[in-house]
Amino acid sequence: MASNEKNVLVVNCGSSSVKFAIVNPVDGKVSVSGIAEALNLEDARISWAFDGQDKTEQSLGAGADHAKAIDFVVETILAGHKELLDSLVAVGHRIVSGGDLYSQPTLVDDSVEAGIEKCIPFAPLHNPAHLQGIRAGRKVFPNIPHVCVFDTAFHQTMPEHAFRFAIPEKYYTENRIRRYGAHGTSHYYVAGEACRELGGDPDNFNVITCHLGNGASISAVKNGKCIDTSMGLTPLDGLMMGTRSGSIDPSVIFFLCDNLGLTAQEVCKILNKESGLLGISCKTSDFRGITEGKLAGDEKCTLAFDMFCYRLAKFIGSYFVPLGHVDAIVFTGGIGENSFRMRERVLELLAEPFGIRIDREKNEKALVYKGGRGLISTPESSCKVTVIPTNEELIIARLAGEFAK
Ligand code: ADP
């Protein structure tokens, strides 16, 4: 490592996990990355790898929490790597919900911690974990800037007619119930990359970004600004996902409560953890498993695959309305980057109504995006379609790195 190299520690705290990586914000090089899992449980553990080499795994001790995991990263994993510790110029914290309080990456201070706390109702599992990560991080790195990068921030440019729900006004004004969106860092990154790679004019470039992983969302991005997105108050809305239902008739909830006697909490669990690809296939939430099942003739997996593609195509189609014209559609996330079968089906559904034409051979080969290799549409297509691997760590490192002195 060059002695003047500057790196950012990227921290992503989930409800029972901490993902961490030391990333060079200029070239994206990852010096070390890892994950602490099963936090607060009997088998709390941590694994890590330097420079993408072999993984080391170790127990953190029963009941270890987020703070213990962060201490371990600094005191044990980085103990013999003073040059890496000295290279850190900032810590970037991924934050799931900043509600409508934050529309930019924000330097952490006590008032920002209070703001994240205020947004706990919108991300009850994640925001408390983020706060633990921030507090532990500020203790071990008191002298470098800590920067929050909010998943919701990119969506704060949505116009009111896109972010309001058609419910009585007081629930918006008094309780801040509205569409906030999620995966904003990923949508922001791939929208920018698409414009750059396709040689677009940043002030006149309309793109539909599809982030398709275990969670899935889609955004309409006009000249670099989000004008609509599919996730709502929480990440349950919108597309069909691994275990989440996506949009459904809200009456399904009343039906389950009133006629089957389920509690609101039970319905919440069903819609978040037992629905989506898992609920339809009765087998798996994993898109690879769904695809294998479909290829083997499993009818339920075939239905799950068909529903996923149909609903995604309908969403993409609907985003032609806010955008007017569409320069590009981008696929990203584990499913978006890897499933050429899903992309083929979705684009077939969009061919007749929107004049989108897919290059089948390029689509099958588009696994890595390099110098335009991710383009999967033909020259005749009404808009370009590309595959761009997302890189949330890199963008968090870049945004946090800008705060370094
Ligand atoms: P997360 O939202 O947890 O970050 P990822 O972006 O890693 O998720 O995406 C995970 C999803 O990507 C899983 O459903 C997985 O099956 C799917 N996936 C990964 N590789 C492939 C592949 N080659 N073909 C189809 N689906 C894939």
Short mmCIF file of all heavy atoms in Angstrom, two decimals, residues 57-121:
data_model
loop_
_atom_site.label_atom_id
_atom_site.label_comp_id
_atom_site.label_asym_id
_atom_site.label_seq_id
_atom_site.Cartn_x
_atom_site.Cartn_y
_atom_site.Cartn_z
N GLU A 57 -12.41 -16.98 10.11
CA GLU A 57 -13.64 -16.84 10.89
C GLU A 57 -13.34 -17.10 12.35
O GLU A 57 -12.51 -17.95 12.68
CB GLU A 57 -14.71 -17.83 10.39
CG GLU A 57 -16.03 -17.63 11.12
CD GLU A 57 -17.23 -18.30 10.44
OE1 GLU A 57 -17.24 -18.37 9.20
OE2 GLU A 57 -18.12 -18.73 11.17
N GLN A 58 -14.00 -16.35 13.22
CA GLN A 58 -13.74 -16.51 14.65
C GLN A 58 -15.01 -16.19 15.45
O GLN A 58 -15.81 -15.34 15.03
CB GLN A 58 -12.62 -15.53 15.05
CG GLN A 58 -11.99 -15.89 16.38
CD GLN A 58 -10.76 -15.02 16.63
OE1 GLN A 58 -9.92 -14.83 15.75
NE2 GLN A 58 -10.67 -14.47 17.82
N SER A 59 -15.15 -16.86 16.59
CA SER A 59 -16.29 -16.55 17.45
C SER A 59 -16.05 -15.19 18.11
O SER A 59 -14.91 -14.82 18.40
CB SER A 59 -16.41 -17.63 18.52
OG SER A 59 -17.28 -17.17 19.53
N LEU A 60 -17.15 -14.46 18.33
CA LEU A 60 -17.03 -13.18 19.05
C LEU A 60 -17.40 -13.35 20.51
O LEU A 60 -17.33 -12.40 21.29
CB LEU A 60 -17.97 -12.13 18.42
CG LEU A 60 -17.49 -11.44 17.15
CD1 LEU A 60 -18.63 -10.62 16.55
CD2 LEU A 60 -16.30 -10.54 17.43
N GLY A 61 -17.81 -14.56 20.88
CA GLY A 61 -18.27 -14.81 22.25
C GLY A 61 -19.78 -14.63 22.32
O GLY A 61 -20.34 -13.75 21.65
N ALA A 62 -20.42 -15.48 23.11
CA ALA A 62 -21.89 -15.46 23.20
C ALA A 62 -22.40 -14.06 23.53
O ALA A 62 -21.87 -13.39 24.42
CB ALA A 62 -22.37 -16.46 24.24
N GLY A 63 -23.43 -13.62 22.80
CA GLY A 63 -24.09 -12.37 23.11
C GLY A 63 -23.35 -11.12 22.67
O GLY A 63 -23.78 -10.00 22.98
N ALA A 64 -22.26 -11.28 21.92
CA ALA A 64 -21.51 -10.07 21.48
C ALA A 64 -22.43 -9.16 20.68
O ALA A 64 -23.24 -9.62 19.88
CB ALA A 64 -20.32 -10.49 20.64
N ASP A 65 -22.30 -7.86 20.89
CA ASP A 65 -23.18 -6.92 20.19
C ASP A 65 -22.41 -6.14 19.11
O ASP A 65 -21.24 -6.42 18.84
CB ASP A 65 -23.86 -5.97 21.20
CG ASP A 65 -22.83 -5.15 21.98
OD1 ASP A 65 -21.62 -5.22 21.65
OD2 ASP A 65 -23.24 -4.44 22.92
N HIS A 66 -23.08 -5.13 18.54
CA HIS A 66 -22.47 -4.36 17.44
C HIS A 66 -21.18 -3.67 17.89
O HIS A 66 -20.19 -3.63 17.16
CB HIS A 66 -23.46 -3.32 16.92
CG HIS A 66 -24.66 -3.92 16.24
ND1 HIS A 66 -25.66 -4.57 16.93
CD2 HIS A 66 -25.00 -4.00 14.94
CE1 HIS A 66 -26.57 -5.00 16.08
NE2 HIS A 66 -26.19 -4.68 14.86
N ALA A 67 -21.22 -3.12 19.12
CA ALA A 67 -20.04 -2.41 19.62
C ALA A 67 -18.87 -3.36 19.76
O ALA A 67 -17.72 -3.04 19.40
CB ALA A 67 -20.38 -1.76 20.96
N LYS A 68 -19.14 -4.56 20.26
CA LYS A 68 -18.07 -5.56 20.43
C LYS A 68 -17.48 -5.90 19.05
O LYS A 68 -16.27 -6.06 18.90
CB LYS A 68 -18.69 -6.80 21.10
CG LYS A 68 -17.76 -7.97 21.28
CD LYS A 68 -17.09 -7.93 22.64
CE LYS A 68 -15.93 -8.90 22.74
NZ LYS A 68 -16.28 -10.24 23.09
N ALA A 69 -18.36 -6.04 18.05
CA ALA A 69 -17.89 -6.39 16.70
C ALA A 69 -16.97 -5.29 16.16
O ALA A 69 -15.91 -5.58 15.59
CB ALA A 69 -19.08 -6.59 15.77
N ILE A 70 -17.36 -4.04 16.36
CA ILE A 70 -16.53 -2.94 15.84
C ILE A 70 -15.21 -2.85 16.60
O ILE A 70 -14.14 -2.64 16.00
CB ILE A 70 -17.34 -1.62 15.86
CG1 ILE A 70 -18.40 -1.73 14.75
CG2 ILE A 70 -16.45 -0.40 15.66
CD1 ILE A 70 -19.38 -0.60 14.68
N ASP A 71 -15.25 -3.06 17.89
CA ASP A 71 -14.01 -3.10 18.67
C ASP A 71 -13.08 -4.19 18.13
O ASP A 71 -11.88 -4.01 18.01
CB ASP A 71 -14.31 -3.40 20.15
CG ASP A 71 -14.80 -2.15 20.86
OD1 ASP A 71 -14.68 -1.06 20.28
OD2 ASP A 71 -15.32 -2.28 21.99
N PHE A 72 -13.67 -5.35 17.82
CA PHE A 72 -12.88 -6.49 17.34
C PHE A 72 -12.19 -6.15 16.02
O PHE A 72 -11.03 -6.49 15.80
CB PHE A 72 -13.80 -7.72 17.16
CG PHE A 72 -13.05 -8.97 16.84
CD1 PHE A 72 -12.64 -9.84 17.85
CD2 PHE A 72 -12.75 -9.31 15.52
CE1 PHE A 72 -11.95 -11.02 17.55
CE2 PHE A 72 -12.05 -10.47 15.21
CZ PHE A 72 -11.66 -11.32 16.23
N VAL A 73 -12.92 -5.44 15.15
CA VAL A 73 -12.34 -5.06 13.84
C VAL A 73 -11.08 -4.24 14.08
O VAL A 73 -10.02 -4.49 13.48
CB VAL A 73 -13.35 -4.24 13.00
CG1 VAL A 73 -12.69 -3.69 11.74
CG2 VAL A 73 -14.55 -5.11 12.63
N VAL A 74 -11.17 -3.29 14.99
CA VAL A 74 -10.05 -2.37 15.19
C VAL A 74 -8.94 -3.03 16.02
O VAL A 74 -7.76 -2.98 15.66
CB VAL A 74 -10.55 -1.08 15.89
CG1 VAL A 74 -9.39 -0.13 16.15
CG2 VAL A 74 -11.60 -0.41 15.02
N GLU A 75 -9.35 -3.67 17.11
CA GLU A 75 -8.33 -4.15 18.05
C GLU A 75 -7.70 -5.48 17.65
O GLU A 75 -6.57 -5.77 18.03
CB GLU A 75 -8.94 -4.27 19.46
CG GLU A 75 -9.07 -2.90 20.10
CD GLU A 75 -10.02 -2.91 21.28
OE1 GLU A 75 -10.32 -4.01 21.78
OE2 GLU A 75 -10.47 -1.82 21.67
N THR A 76 -8.42 -6.30 16.90
CA THR A 76 -7.87 -7.61 16.54
C THR A 76 -7.54 -7.69 15.05
O THR A 76 -6.39 -7.94 14.67
CB THR A 76 -8.87 -8.72 16.93
OG1 THR A 76 -9.20 -8.56 18.30
CG2 THR A 76 -8.28 -10.10 16.69
N ILE A 77 -8.54 -7.44 14.19
CA ILE A 77 -8.31 -7.64 12.76
C ILE A 77 -7.27 -6.65 12.23
O ILE A 77 -6.36 -7.02 11.48
CB ILE A 77 -9.63 -7.51 11.96
CG1 ILE A 77 -10.63 -8.56 12.43
CG2 ILE A 77 -9.37 -7.64 10.46
CD1 ILE A 77 -12.00 -8.49 11.78
N LEU A 78 -7.39 -5.40 12.66
CA LEU A 78 -6.47 -4.38 12.12
C LEU A 78 -5.25 -4.15 13.01
O LEU A 78 -4.41 -3.30 12.70
CB LEU A 78 -7.23 -3.05 11.92
CG LEU A 78 -8.39 -3.11 10.92
CD1 LEU A 78 -9.13 -1.78 10.86
CD2 LEU A 78 -7.88 -3.47 9.52
N ALA A 79 -5.15 -4.96 14.09
CA ALA A 79 -4.08 -4.71 15.07
C ALA A 79 -2.68 -4.70 14.43
O ALA A 79 -1.89 -3.81 14.67
CB ALA A 79 -4.14 -5.74 16.18
N GLY A 80 -2.42 -5.67 13.57
CA GLY A 80 -1.08 -5.74 12.96
C GLY A 80 -0.99 -4.95 11.67
O GLY A 80 -0.07 -5.17 10.88
N HIS A 81 -1.94 -4.06 11.40
CA HIS A 81 -1.96 -3.35 10.12
C HIS A 81 -2.04 -1.84 10.35
O HIS A 81 -2.99 -1.18 9.94
CB HIS A 81 -3.15 -3.83 9.28
CG HIS A 81 -3.07 -5.27 8.93
ND1 HIS A 81 -2.52 -5.75 7.76
CD2 HIS A 81 -3.44 -6.37 9.64
CE1 HIS A 81 -2.57 -7.05 7.75
NE2 HIS A 81 -3.12 -7.46 8.89
N LYS A 82 -1.02 -1.34 11.01
CA LYS A 82 -1.02 0.07 11.39
C LYS A 82 -1.16 0.98 10.17
O LYS A 82 -1.83 2.01 10.21
CB LYS A 82 0.28 0.38 12.15
CG LYS A 82 0.30 1.77 12.73
CD LYS A 82 1.48 1.99 13.65
CE LYS A 82 1.54 3.41 14.17
NZ LYS A 82 1.43 4.48 13.20
N GLU A 83 -0.52 0.55 9.04
CA GLU A 83 -0.57 1.41 7.85
C GLU A 83 -2.01 1.56 7.36
O GLU A 83 -2.40 2.63 6.87
CB GLU A 83 0.37 0.87 6.75
CG GLU A 83 -0.08 -0.35 5.95
CD GLU A 83 -0.21 -1.66 6.75
OE1 GLU A 83 0.21 -1.71 7.93
OE2 GLU A 83 -0.76 -2.63 6.21
N LEU A 84 -2.82 0.51 7.52
CA LEU A 84 -4.23 0.60 7.10
C LEU A 84 -5.01 1.52 8.03
O LEU A 84 -5.78 2.37 7.58
CB LEU A 84 -4.87 -0.79 7.16
CG LEU A 84 -5.06 -1.56 5.85
CD1 LEU A 84 -5.84 -2.84 6.11
CD2 LEU A 84 -5.76 -0.71 4.81
N LEU A 85 -4.78 1.33 9.33
CA LEU A 85 -5.46 2.21 10.31
C LEU A 85 -5.10 3.67 10.05
O LEU A 85 -5.97 4.54 10.06
CB LEU A 85 -5.04 1.81 11.73
CG LEU A 85 -5.82 0.67 12.37
CD1 LEU A 85 -5.18 0.26 13.70
CD2 LEU A 85 -7.28 1.06 12.60
N ASP A 86 -3.80 3.90 9.80
CA ASP A 86 -3.36 5.28 9.58
C ASP A 86 -3.90 5.86 8.27
O ASP A 86 -3.96 7.08 8.11
CB ASP A 86 -1.82 5.35 9.54
CG ASP A 86 -1.24 5.11 10.93
OD1 ASP A 86 -2.02 5.18 11.91
OD2 ASP A 86 -0.03 4.83 11.03
N SER A 87 -4.28 4.97 7.33
CA SER A 87 -4.76 5.47 6.03
C SER A 87 -6.22 5.91 6.07
O SER A 87 -6.71 6.51 5.12
CB SER A 87 -4.60 4.37 4.96
OG SER A 87 -5.62 3.39 5.12
N LEU A 88 -6.91 5.61 7.19
CA LEU A 88 -8.34 5.94 7.23
C LEU A 88 -8.56 7.44 7.39
O LEU A 88 -8.05 8.06 8.32
CB LEU A 88 -9.02 5.19 8.39
CG LEU A 88 -9.08 3.66 8.23
CD1 LEU A 88 -9.70 3.02 9.45
CD2 LEU A 88 -9.86 3.27 6.96
N VAL A 89 -9.34 8.00 6.45
CA VAL A 89 -9.61 9.44 6.52
C VAL A 89 -11.07 9.73 6.89
O VAL A 89 -11.43 10.88 7.15
CB VAL A 89 -9.28 10.15 5.19
CG1 VAL A 89 -7.77 10.10 4.93
CG2 VAL A 89 -10.04 9.53 4.02
N ALA A 90 -11.91 8.71 6.86
CA ALA A 90 -13.33 8.90 7.22
C ALA A 90 -13.97 7.55 7.46
O ALA A 90 -13.45 6.51 7.04
CB ALA A 90 -14.08 9.62 6.10
N VAL A 91 -15.10 7.58 8.16
CA VAL A 91 -15.93 6.38 8.31
C VAL A 91 -17.28 6.69 7.66
O VAL A 91 -17.89 7.73 7.97
CB VAL A 91 -16.14 6.01 9.79
CG1 VAL A 91 -16.97 4.72 9.91
CG2 VAL A 91 -14.81 5.85 10.51
N GLY A 92 -17.73 5.83 6.76
CA GLY A 92 -19.04 6.02 6.11
C GLY A 92 -20.02 5.01 6.67
O GLY A 92 -19.76 3.81 6.65
N HIS A 93 -21.13 5.50 7.20
CA HIS A 93 -22.14 4.61 7.78
C HIS A 93 -23.34 4.54 6.85
O HIS A 93 -23.92 5.58 6.51
CB HIS A 93 -22.62 5.15 9.14
CG HIS A 93 -21.54 5.22 10.18
ND1 HIS A 93 -21.31 4.18 11.06
CD2 HIS A 93 -20.63 6.18 10.48
CE1 HIS A 93 -20.31 4.53 11.86
NE2 HIS A 93 -19.87 5.73 11.53
N ARG A 94 -23.72 3.34 6.45
CA ARG A 94 -24.93 3.19 5.66
C ARG A 94 -26.14 3.25 6.59
O ARG A 94 -26.20 2.52 7.59
CB ARG A 94 -24.93 1.85 4.93
CG ARG A 94 -26.15 1.64 4.09
CD ARG A 94 -26.68 0.26 4.24
NE ARG A 94 -27.92 0.12 3.49
CZ ARG A 94 -28.68 -0.96 3.56
NH1 ARG A 94 -28.34 -1.95 4.35
NH2 ARG A 94 -29.79 -1.02 2.87
N ILE A 95 -27.09 4.13 6.27
CA ILE A 95 -28.28 4.28 7.12
C ILE A 95 -29.53 4.00 6.28
O ILE A 95 -29.71 4.62 5.22
CB ILE A 95 -28.38 5.73 7.70
CG1 ILE A 95 -27.05 6.16 8.33
CG2 ILE A 95 -29.55 5.84 8.68
CD1 ILE A 95 -26.65 5.42 9.58
N VAL A 96 -30.36 3.08 6.73
CA VAL A 96 -31.52 2.68 5.94
C VAL A 96 -32.53 3.82 5.82
O VAL A 96 -33.00 4.12 4.73
CB VAL A 96 -32.18 1.41 6.52
CG1 VAL A 96 -33.57 1.19 5.94
CG2 VAL A 96 -31.31 0.21 6.21
N SER A 97 -32.87 4.47 6.94
CA SER A 97 -33.88 5.53 6.83
C SER A 97 -33.46 6.84 7.48
O SER A 97 -33.18 6.88 8.67
CB SER A 97 -35.21 5.10 7.43
OG SER A 97 -36.15 6.15 7.22
N GLY A 98 -33.47 7.88 6.67
CA GLY A 98 -33.30 9.24 7.19
C GLY A 98 -34.62 9.98 7.03
O GLY A 98 -34.66 11.21 7.14
N GLY A 99 -35.70 9.22 6.74
CA GLY A 99 -37.02 9.82 6.58
C GLY A 99 -36.94 11.00 5.62
O GLY A 99 -36.28 10.95 4.59
N ASP A 100 -37.64 12.10 5.99
CA ASP A 100 -37.54 13.30 5.16
C ASP A 100 -36.60 14.34 5.80
O ASP A 100 -36.62 15.51 5.47
CB ASP A 100 -38.92 13.92 4.90
CG ASP A 100 -39.71 14.08 6.19
OD1 ASP A 100 -39.14 13.84 7.28
OD2 ASP A 100 -40.91 14.42 6.12
N LEU A 101 -35.75 13.85 6.72
CA LEU A 101 -34.85 14.78 7.41
C LEU A 101 -33.54 15.00 6.66
O LEU A 101 -32.90 16.03 6.79
CB LEU A 101 -34.51 14.24 8.82
CG LEU A 101 -35.69 14.05 9.78
CD1 LEU A 101 -35.20 13.52 11.12
CD2 LEU A 101 -36.41 15.38 9.97
N TYR A 102 -33.13 14.00 5.87
CA TYR A 102 -31.80 14.10 5.23
C TYR A 102 -31.89 13.81 3.74
O TYR A 102 -32.40 12.78 3.33
CB TYR A 102 -30.83 13.11 5.89
CG TYR A 102 -30.70 13.36 7.37
CD1 TYR A 102 -31.40 12.59 8.28
CD2 TYR A 102 -29.93 14.42 7.84
CE1 TYR A 102 -31.33 12.85 9.64
CE2 TYR A 102 -29.85 14.69 9.19
CZ TYR A 102 -30.55 13.90 10.09
OH TYR A 102 -30.48 14.18 11.43
N SER A 103 -31.38 14.75 2.96
CA SER A 103 -31.38 14.53 1.51
C SER A 103 -29.95 14.50 0.97
O SER A 103 -29.74 14.44 -0.23
CB SER A 103 -32.18 15.64 0.81
OG SER A 103 -31.66 16.89 1.18
N GLN A 104 -28.97 14.52 1.87
CA GLN A 104 -27.55 14.52 1.48
C GLN A 104 -26.78 13.67 2.48
O GLN A 104 -27.21 13.52 3.62
CB GLN A 104 -26.97 15.94 1.57
CG GLN A 104 -27.59 16.97 0.67
CD GLN A 104 -27.29 16.73 -0.78
OE1 GLN A 104 -26.28 16.11 -1.11
NE2 GLN A 104 -28.16 17.18 -1.66
N PRO A 105 -25.59 13.17 2.07
CA PRO A 105 -24.71 12.57 3.07
C PRO A 105 -24.43 13.61 4.15
O PRO A 105 -24.27 14.79 3.84
CB PRO A 105 -23.43 12.26 2.28
CG PRO A 105 -23.85 12.25 0.86
CD PRO A 105 -25.00 13.19 0.72
N THR A 106 -24.40 13.18 5.39
CA THR A 106 -24.37 14.15 6.49
C THR A 106 -23.32 13.77 7.53
O THR A 106 -23.24 12.62 7.95
CB THR A 106 -25.77 14.20 7.17
OG1 THR A 106 -26.74 14.45 6.14
CG2 THR A 106 -25.86 15.28 8.22
N LEU A 107 -22.55 14.77 7.93
CA LEU A 107 -21.54 14.58 8.96
C LEU A 107 -22.23 14.30 10.30
O LEU A 107 -23.13 15.03 10.70
CB LEU A 107 -20.72 15.87 9.06
CG LEU A 107 -19.40 15.81 9.81
CD1 LEU A 107 -18.42 14.87 9.11
CD2 LEU A 107 -18.81 17.23 9.88
N VAL A 108 -21.77 13.24 10.98
CA VAL A 108 -22.44 12.86 12.22
C VAL A 108 -22.10 13.82 13.36
O VAL A 108 -20.95 14.18 13.55
CB VAL A 108 -21.99 11.44 12.66
CG1 VAL A 108 -22.62 11.08 14.01
CG2 VAL A 108 -22.35 10.41 11.62
N ASP A 109 -23.12 14.24 14.07
CA ASP A 109 -22.93 14.87 15.38
C ASP A 109 -24.11 14.41 16.25
O ASP A 109 -24.90 13.58 15.80
CB ASP A 109 -22.84 16.41 15.27
CG ASP A 109 -24.09 17.02 14.65
OD1 ASP A 109 -25.12 16.32 14.61
OD2 ASP A 109 -24.03 18.17 14.22
N ASP A 110 -24.21 14.93 17.43
CA ASP A 110 -25.26 14.44 18.33
C ASP A 110 -26.66 14.68 17.75
O ASP A 110 -27.57 13.87 17.94
CB ASP A 110 -25.14 15.10 19.71
CG ASP A 110 -23.87 14.64 20.42
OD1 ASP A 110 -23.24 13.67 19.93
OD2 ASP A 110 -23.49 15.25 21.45
N SER A 111 -26.82 15.79 17.02
CA SER A 111 -28.16 16.09 16.49
C SER A 111 -28.52 15.10 15.37
O SER A 111 -29.68 14.74 15.19
CB SER A 111 -28.25 17.53 16.00
OG SER A 111 -27.61 17.65 14.76
N VAL A 112 -27.51 14.63 14.62
CA VAL A 112 -27.79 13.65 13.57
C VAL A 112 -28.15 12.30 14.21
O VAL A 112 -29.07 11.61 13.75
CB VAL A 112 -26.58 13.53 12.61
CG1 VAL A 112 -26.79 12.39 11.63
CG2 VAL A 112 -26.37 14.84 11.88
N GLU A 113 -27.47 11.97 15.29
CA GLU A 113 -27.86 10.74 16.01
C GLU A 113 -29.32 10.84 16.45
O GLU A 113 -30.09 9.88 16.33
CB GLU A 113 -26.96 10.52 17.23
CG GLU A 113 -25.57 10.01 16.85
CD GLU A 113 -24.78 9.55 18.08
OE1 GLU A 113 -25.38 9.35 19.15
OE2 GLU A 113 -23.56 9.39 17.95
N ALA A 114 -29.71 12.02 16.93
CA ALA A 114 -31.10 12.21 17.37
C ALA A 114 -32.06 12.10 16.17
O ALA A 114 -33.16 11.54 16.29
CB ALA A 114 -31.26 13.57 18.05
N GLY A 115 -31.63 12.61 15.02
CA GLY A 115 -32.45 12.52 13.81
C GLY A 115 -32.67 11.07 13.39
O GLY A 115 -33.78 10.67 13.01
N ILE A 116 -31.60 10.27 13.46
CA ILE A 116 -31.72 8.85 13.09
C ILE A 116 -32.66 8.14 14.06
O ILE A 116 -33.46 7.28 13.68
CB ILE A 116 -30.32 8.19 13.06
CG1 ILE A 116 -29.48 8.82 11.94
CG2 ILE A 116 -30.41 6.69 12.87
CD1 ILE A 116 -28.02 8.45 11.98
N GLU A 117 -32.58 8.55 15.32
CA GLU A 117 -33.46 7.97 16.33
C GLU A 117 -34.93 8.30 16.00
O GLU A 117 -35.80 7.45 16.12
CB GLU A 117 -33.07 8.54 17.70
CG GLU A 117 -33.58 7.70 18.82
CD GLU A 117 -32.71 7.83 20.07
OE1 GLU A 117 -31.70 8.58 20.07
OE2 GLU A 117 -33.06 7.17 21.05
N LYS A 118 -35.15 9.52 15.55
CA LYS A 118 -36.51 9.96 15.21
C LYS A 118 -37.09 9.14 14.05
O LYS A 118 -38.31 9.01 13.92
CB LYS A 118 -36.44 11.44 14.80
CG LYS A 118 -37.55 12.28 15.34
CD LYS A 118 -37.29 13.74 15.08
CE LYS A 118 -38.61 14.46 14.88
NZ LYS A 118 -38.45 15.79 14.34
N CYS A 119 -36.20 8.61 13.22
CA CYS A 119 -36.66 7.85 12.04
C CYS A 119 -36.79 6.36 12.33
O CYS A 119 -37.06 5.57 11.41
CB CYS A 119 -35.70 8.07 10.87
SG CYS A 119 -35.68 9.78 10.30
N ILE A 120 -36.60 5.95 13.58
CA ILE A 120 -36.70 4.52 13.91
C ILE A 120 -38.04 3.91 13.48
O ILE A 120 -38.06 2.78 12.97
CB ILE A 120 -36.42 4.28 15.42
CG1 ILE A 120 -34.92 4.42 15.68
CG2 ILE A 120 -36.90 2.90 15.87
CD1 ILE A 120 -34.50 4.32 17.14
N PRO A 121 -39.18 4.63 13.61
CA PRO A 121 -40.45 4.01 13.19
C PRO A 121 -40.45 3.57 11.71
O PRO A 121 -41.18 2.67 11.33
CB PRO A 121 -41.48 5.11 13.42
CG PRO A 121 -40.88 6.00 14.44
CD PRO A 121 -39.40 5.95 14.23
#
